[in-house]
Each structure stands twice: as C-alpha cells, then as structure tokens.
Amino acid sequence: MVALLKLNTLVSGLCPTRHYHYYSRKPRLPFRIRMSSITETETASASKVILDSHLHVWASPHEAAKFPYHPGQEPTLAGHADFLLQCMEEAGVDSALIVQPINHKFDHSYVTSVLKKYPTKFFGCCLANPADDGSGLKQFEELVLKDGYRAVRFNPYLWPSGEKMTNEVGKGMFQRAGELKVPVSFMCMKGLDLHISEIEQLCTEFPSTIVILDHLAFCKPPLNDQEQLVFSRLLNLSRFPQMYVKFSALFRVSREKHPYLDLSPLLSQIVSSFGANRVMWGSDFPFVVPECGYKEGKEAVNSIANKVSLSPSDLEWIMGKTAIQLLQSHSTS
C-alpha cells in the first residue's frame, strides 16, 4: 500500500487523468507533489521527474550504534540519508531507488527506516540472500510484502562457493520475484561474460520476471575483439522483452574522466537496441561523490547524450520516466 501511494504521487503527471506541479524547484523534504488543474506547459514540465535508479545509503558513525555495519564492511565514505538528500536537492533530483548496500549486507533495518521516514521520496531495492537453507526467500517476501521494497538485487558473488544463480535457491527467488511483480537486478562486477548464461537461462524459464542490468552490465568501451563480443552479447539481450539496462555508475564503466564522453557510442547503441524506455540513469551515490560530485555525475548524462544527438524525449525516459513507469506498472498490477 505504501508503494502504491508513493507511485500514485510520483507518476500522477504521467497518467492522463491526473496532474501535478511542484511547490518550487527547491523541493522541501520529503518530496511533495500536490494535485491541481494546470496548463499544458506545466503538465509537460511536471512529467520530467528526475529519478536516480541506483544509489546506496548506510548509517553514519553515530547511527551505527543503532544500525551496525556488517563485520569487515565498515564504510570509508559518508553515505547517510541526510547527506544524500542534500546532494539530491542541489542536483535537482526528485526521487531515487535505494539499493541495499553491502555495508549492512542482509540487515535491511537502516534502509527500511529511511524508506519509512521518506515514503514519497524513496523506493527500496533489497539484497537477495542466497543461503543454502532457503531462508533468504522468506526474508525477501517479508521485505516486499511488509516493508514495501520494489526490487531485489542478485549479487552472484554472494552465492555459496561453486553455486550459480540458477540453483534451486536462485530460481525460487527469481520466480517469486516475478509473481510479486518485483524486478530483479544483476550486478556483474567481474564481467557480464561470467554470468550471461545464467541470466539468459533465468529469463527464458521465467519470462514474467523483469530484469535490470546494473551499470551497463559493467561493459566498458571495447578495446579489443573480446570486449566487443561481450558488448554485442549485452545488446543481444534486448531480445528479452523483460530486460532493462541501467546507465549508471558512469565513472566505473568509462575509461575517461568526467564527463565520460567515451560512453556516448555505448549509450547510442543501448538506446538503439533496447529503446530509451528500457534504459535508466543511476548515480551510484555515494561512490560518485569523490569521483566527480553527485550533481556533476547527473549532468554528465546530458553531455554524453548531446554528443550523439539523443532526443529530448529519449533523455526524459532515461532520466526518470523509465524507472517511474517500471515501478508503477509493477506495483499496481
């Protein structure tokens, strides 16, 4: 119910029977939108909600007394919610999908507290626990049904040694995600080629489960035939209609410094293959902050898009509309 109310608020400008406008361009916290009768110009402006589809938050050192870090995963960067809200306001970002960080591993209490404190500002993406005993499935269901999480992340490096995401536990969670209308995102940090066969198998067996590839599936601009082959395989995944791509963590996948213009041809090909309505921007806060700054990371997308003459409509999809409609369609189904 919380997710439904949140989405009704955020996407009202995208629905033909509802309209909204902002109180100001400097949003108060939490993000607030009100219903009203407005002009066509205001409607067009209101539809351009900026949604950051990939970022993390974790407890501050003070908050860690209540929300402890996972042993050995103490953060070295500030990533608490107040800092994020400050960065978002300065950058003109309206909403975000918070991805459960490894710093708290499977303890979702901090992220859940942020979601509850700012129910119209944030969505939650939980972290799948692939424990052999299957306890992760129950936790996943509770996070979705009780706490309102709207996505789940599969980190293949958390699976038990020798196990794949296509094992019984992985298939069970993936299938259940489809039943709950919750997208599954994949983190292929060590290379898409190591995990693409598992992703293809899961998509084939469970076509109703929506899939999101984080950070361009960690494909950098190709420098050789092997890298070009892997990127081609990424493009070929567009044959699965349930497949989406995050154009996120640009500093991780670019070989250049900000504004990461070497990603322009990759973005052009991704949009050509998937369509802009299956591509979404994400910052990877707080890691983006020391790299180039949060606001600057967001603005880099415009520079990258301008280099390949991406249309304003396509850019609107990438900067928020894709994520909003994805979350809307799967919370109201």
Side-chain angles (χ1 to χ4, degrees), residues 163-179:
E163 294 289 332
K164 293 185 176 182
M165 294 182 289
T166 49
N167 66 3
E168 182 179 353
V169 171
K171 285 186 177 182
M173 286 193 290
F174 192 85
Q175 181 178 17
R176 186 62 175 135
E179 294 168 351

Side-chain angles (χ1 to χ4, degrees), residues 100 108-117 143 147 149:
Q100 170 71 9
H108 290 70
S109 57
Y110 180 72
V111 171
T112 300
S113 73
V114 175
L115 298 177
K116 290 182 177 179
K117 187 174 182 179
L143 289 167
D147 297 319
Y149 281 75

Side-chain angles (χ1 to χ4, degrees), residues 180-197:
L180 293 172
K181 309 300 183 184
V182 171
V184 175
S185 70
F186 288 94
M187 185 183 75
C188 304
M189 182 174 283
K190 296 182 181 179
L192 175 63
D193 54 325
L194 298 178
H195 310 293
I196 191 169
S197 62

Side-chain angles (χ1 to χ4, degrees), residues 43-60:
T43 301
S45 175
S47 70
K48 297 178 182 179
V49 173
I50 305 299
L51 194 154
D52 186 340
S53 74
H54 194 105
L55 52 75
H56 309 279
V57 292
W58 48 71
S60 66

